[in-house]
Amino acid sequence: MIKPEIASRQPLWLLAELTYKCPLQCPYCSNPLDFAGAGAELTTQEWIDVFTQAREMGAAQLGFSGGEPLVRQDLTELIAAARDLGYYTNLITSGLGLNAERMADFRQAGLDHIQISFQASDEEVNNMLAGSAKAFEQKLKMAREVKAQGYPMVLNFVTHRHNIDRIDRIIELCIELEADYVELATCQYYGWAFENRAALLPTRAQLEKAEAITQEYRQRLQAAGNPLKLIFVTPDYYEERPKKCMNGWGEIFLTVTPDGTALPCHSARMLPIEFPNVKTMSLEEIWQTSPGFNYFRGDAWMPEPCRSCDEKEQDLGGCRCQAFMLTGDMHATDPVCSKSPEHHRILAARQEAELAEEREMTYRNERNSRIFCRG
């Protein structure tokens, strides 16, 4: 076990995963495969206590996430409490369970920002991936309502081999909706997405074409004076150097799961590390002294080739969850790195993506999650 050390920074970004319940069954959801076995959700007051403690430690931004946070009937109360504490608040939602009246209540309570996710630009693919016949129509309606109620319109499209070839249609839809910001987030392979990687990972040619089209649209939008911002996120699997995990393990980012488990990133629950719970330990103790939050702080834990690498301060060895998923060793160099002795695993995944075969997907739902719970 790595010896705990006092953190040099405070948590600036708090992600409140209010619930794992969700009306959709996206096959790339980042929730844990065994979410059905999670403990009881935090109560309203327990969440407010978490917000209070994190704010006292310096957290400034609060994201309401899930599952689908709209499932929580106390969401308006939680938003109001966060506003009273001085947070900038962001609701990350599918839009299902939202309506104009509820959105107005959120605005009155002090919500600053709503991000609505889409699965695709056309109804058939969107609803197939979401597992809901009404999802696309509801998302369109709520995206327009976001604009009507004066919020910045922020849309998120997770792209993968089933929709990336329609990136132009996705962007055209965003222009039609008068979006302000659009994240074209090529799927990252954690949780359910890792389980479905063979069915979701696009080819390099697909990715490069989509990025080129996005750049063409950026130029057109700029020439037309359209303020829409397009953010294109490349998947780790087509990089040669890994990203710095959450800008550093336990440095600025704090996730609290529905049952109160505190994590340095939203995927860390998969690791063979015992993480503390806010029901039994204060956030200050969790952040500063808990073994879980100190495990990968600094670079003392690093094996070779990371330990002697002149780039280690840039990426800190890469993503611990990705290393664990691909190698079974959470201490290993992230295989995304071309210097990793396990980089061949990434190359093999790229090669697999070149196959034109259609693959079945395992959808994110409680029935499938219970199967994972049973092992």
Side-chain angles (χ1 to χ4, degrees):
M1 176 62 67
I2 303 299
K3 182 180 178 180
E5 60 183 49
I6 298 299
S8 59
R9 298 186 185 180
Q10 73 267 31
L12 299 177
W13 214 103
L14 172 63
L15 182 66
E17 291 186 331
L18 299 179
T19 181
Y20 284 141
K21 297 183 180 72
C22 184
L24 303 185
Q25 52 179 359
C26 305
Y28 48 75
C29 181
S30 62
N31 286 167
L33 296 172
D34 59 354
F35 70 82
E41 294 178 2
L42 296 182
T43 66
T44 305
Q45 189 54 55
E46 284 173 330
W47 273 118
I48 293 173
D49 289 344
V50 168
F51 301 165
T52 302
Q53 291 179 61
R55 187 76 183 101
E56 289 172 351
M57 293 169 65
Q61 185 159 328
L62 171 56
F64 295 105
S65 181
E68 174 49 70
L70 292 169
V71 172
R72 292 279 301 218
Q73 296 307 302
D74 59 354
L75 184 53
T76 302
E77 185 177 351
L78 294 176
I79 291 168
R83 166 49 66 92
D84 288 345
L85 289 165
Y87 281 103
Y88 181 90
T89 52
N90 179 21
L91 175 62
I92 304 164
T93 177
S94 67
L96 272 73
L98 193 58
N99 55 44
E101 182 179 0
R102 199 171 185 196
M103 195 183 297
D105 289 343
F106 293 162
R107 189 162 186 80
Q108 181 66 32
L111 183 65
D112 295 296
H113 181 117
I114 298 175
Q115 175 184 297
I116 293 183
S117 63
F118 279 77
Q119 280 70 34
S121 58
D122 63 274
E123 187 169 13
E124 181 180 357
V125 177
N126 187 99
N127 293 349
M128 179 272 290
L129 291 166
S132 168
K134 299 179 180 180
F136 188 69
E137 183 180 349
Q138 170 69 5
K139 288 170 182 291
L140 288 179
K141 185 177 179 181
M142 288 304 100
R144 294 186 177 105
E145 188 62 34
V146 163
K147 196 76 172 180
Q149 295 207 20
Y151 284 101
M153 187 192 289
V154 182
L155 304 180
N156 173 272
F157 285 80
V158 177
T159 60
H160 40 76
R161 68 185 303 137
H162 292 278
N163 64 7
I164 198 167
D165 291 332
R166 299 166 176 155
I167 197 84
D168 54 341
R169 292 168 63 180
I170 289 174
I171 296 172
E172 287 290 348
L173 175 63
C174 296
I175 293 171
E176 177 189 331
L177 292 172
E178 299 181 354
D180 297 293
Y181 299 91
V182 177
E183 184 177 25
L184 303 167
T186 313
C187 193
Q188 304 289 359
Y189 296 93
Y190 301 89
W192 295 81
F194 186 74
E195 184 71 16
N196 291 302
R197 187 185 69 190
L200 293 172
L201 184 66
T203 65
R204 182 181 290 279
Q206 284 180 301
L207 182 69
E208 290 177 350
K209 181 179 179 181
E211 192 164 14
I213 290 172
T214 301
Q215 183 57 29
E216 289 174 8
Y217 269 96
R218 287 188 183 121
Q219 294 169 357
R220 290 188 217 169
L221 290 166
Q222 184 177 18
N226 189 321
L228 170 60
K229 303 297 182 188
L230 298 175
I231 303 167
F232 190 93
V233 181
T234 303
D236 291 355
Y237 277 58
Y238 286 104
E239 300 286 0
E240 296 302 316
R241 290 291 183 273
K243 62 181 179 295
K244 183 184 287 188
C245 184
M246 304 310 297
N247 203 44
W249 179 279
E251 288 294 312
I252 63 172
F253 190 85
L254 171 63
T255 294
V256 178
T257 69
D259 65 4
T261 303
L263 303 171
C265 85
H266 61 274
S267 296
R269 197 167 192 161
M270 74 173 68
L271 300 175
I273 296 174
E274 185 175 349
F275 289 104
N277 194 291
V278 299
K279 295 177 183 178
T280 58
M281 187 181 292
S282 72
L283 275 190
E284 182 75 27
E285 291 176 290
I286 288 170
W287 183 261
Q288 300 289 8
T289 64
S290 72
F293 273 73
N294 279 284
Y295 206 105
F296 290 114
R297 278 182 173 143
D299 58 18
W301 61 270
M302 288 183 179
E304 294 294 350
C306 292
R307 182 179 292 275
S308 58
C309 180
D310 59 4
E311 298 179 75
K312 68 180 181 182
E313 292 184 4
Q314 297 174 33
D315 57 44
L316 296 177
C319 176
R320 298 300 85 221
C321 297
Q322 197 152 255
F324 180 69
M325 286 187 295
L326 289 168
T327 73
D329 179 5
M330 64 181 177
H331 300 88
T333 300
D334 187 337
V336 165
C337 185
S338 62
K339 298 181 182 182
S340 166
E342 301 292 335
H343 187 59
H344 63 89
R345 298 179 185 273
I346 294 294
L347 300 180
R350 295 176 191 171
Q351 186 174 9
E352 184 181 40
E354 296 295 329
L355 302 176
E357 301 173 13
E358 286 293 324
R359 307 291 184 96
E360 290 187 8
M361 291 186 286
T362 302
Y363 285 88
R364 181 252 193 239
N365 56 48
E366 188 157 337
R367 179 179 61 84
N368 284 335
S369 182
R370 292 197 181 282
I371 294 172
F372 286 110
C373 288
R374 293 196 297 266

